[in-house]
Amino acid sequence: NAGVTQTPKFRILKIGQSMTLQCAQDMNHNYMYWYRQDPGMGLKLIYYSVGAGITDKGEVPNGYNVSRSTTEDFPLRLELAAPSQTSVYFCASRDSQVTYEQYFGPGTRLTVT
Amino acid sequence: QKEVEQNSGPLSVPEGAIASLNCTYSDRGSQSFFWYRQYSGKSPELIMSIYSNGDKEDGRFTAQLNKASQYVSLLIRDSQPSDSATYLCAVAGDLNDYKLSFGAGTTVTVRA
């Protein structure tokens, strides 16, 4: 199993550009999450999903959108990128029936200039 | 939103010593508590979970929970240079609570 994969690893965006951060998991987990982590800070939840077709806002959803058309994929869309969105983005998944443990992807480092 | 506070770092300990990390949380209804380790430039990984008051030991790691005081701690015994990382405390409700609330983390450096 590849676990949780994220692409790209690094990206530089100009202000106002848009992009999609990809996240996929092959563990058949129902729950998936998007976090951002700013330097010296903990993880802030952006959006989460409890299954295909079901998404909900987390703590810091403004400027982002998500969709969950399949169990495996949970892309995060940035519209009109702003410098405040410079961060490291982590996707995670969890087997809702078994454990709390969230499995994290390797992260995407995004810079908006 | 649950608030989770961790003791500010960085924490520097000599090799072989005990590193002590503390975490307090605001929601008295919290049921589940976790410690994640994050190496620089890497993603977090779960190292300990605790659900009941008292101590839980796993190798050189001991998690301690006191729900009455809303306090959870992590002790790292016989600290090794490989323990140098940031440790994140995370809190949740019961298994139907979809979300974890994370603290800002405490960075530990183990001096050889």
Side-chain angles (χ1 to χ4, degrees):
Chain A
N1 286 350
V4 180
T5 58
Q6 292 183 239
T7 56
K9 286 185 170 54
F10 304 94
R11 184 71 184 270
I12 298 174
L13 279 182
K14 294 191 185 305
I15 294 171
Q17 287 185 322
S18 300
M19 75 164 294
T20 299
L21 281 66
Q22 300 292 344
C23 174
Q25 52 91 10
D26 61 359
M27 298 174 283
N28 201 33
H29 288 173
N30 284 326
Y31 291 9
M32 294 188 74
Y33 305 84
W34 273 107
Y35 295 93
R36 60 176 287 172
Q37 186 175 37
D38 299 328
M41 304 294 288
L43 296 161
K44 300 291 186 185
L45 182 64
I46 304 171
Y47 271 94
Y48 66 99
S49 169
V50 300
I54 306 170
T55 62
D56 206 349
K57 296 177 181 179
E59 187 181 357
V60 290
N62 291 345
Y64 308 94
N65 277 301
V66 293
S67 59
R68 184 97 181 270
S69 57
T70 66
T71 299
E72 295 77 20
D73 300 299
F74 190 40
L76 177 72
R77 178 84 177 159
L78 279 71
E79 304 282 0
L80 298 174
S84 61
Q85 293 177 305
T86 294
S87 191
V88 180
Y89 292 84
F90 289 104
C91 179
S93 72
R94 171 190 156 195
D95 184 342
S96 59
Q97 301 303 314
V98 175
T99 176
Y100 270 106
E101 181 170 3
Q102 294 188 15
Y103 295 84
F104 284 83
T108 294
R109 186 174 297 274
L110 176 68
T111 302
V112 182
T113 62
Chain B
Q1 179 67 29
K2 301 177 178 64
E3 292 190 3
V4 180
E5 300 285 340
Q6 295 186 239
N7 51 329
S8 59
L11 180 65
S12 180
V13 298
E15 186 173 356
I18 295 175
S20 177
L21 291 78
N22 302 318
C23 174
T24 58
Y25 57 94
S26 63
D27 185 351
R28 190 169 287 278
S30 299
Q31 298 290 321
S32 311
F33 309 88
F34 309 91
W35 286 98
Y36 281 78
R37 179 176 61 199
Q38 186 176 25
Y39 291 114
S40 181
K42 301 296 185 182
S43 55
E45 59 175 327
L46 183 68
I47 57 170
M48 288 289 285
S49 57
I50 186 167
Y51 305 99
S52 303
N53 281 331
D55 295 358
K56 179 181 178 182
E57 187 174 314
D58 184 359
R60 296 184 295 107
F61 297 98
T62 299
Q64 299 174 314
L65 175 61
N66 183 327
K67 289 185 181 179
S69 300
Q70 296 177 239
Y71 173 91
V72 59
S73 66
L74 179 70
L75 300 177
I76 308 173
R77 292 185 305 281
D78 187 23
S79 295
Q80 302 297 309
S82 60
D83 296 324
S84 297
T86 296
Y87 291 81
L88 301 168
C89 175
V91 174
D94 59 22
L95 268 177
N96 293 319
D97 185 354
Y98 308 131
K99 298 173 284 187
L100 288 176
S101 295
F102 285 86
T106 299
T107 298
V108 174
T109 301
V110 181
R111 309 188 302 271

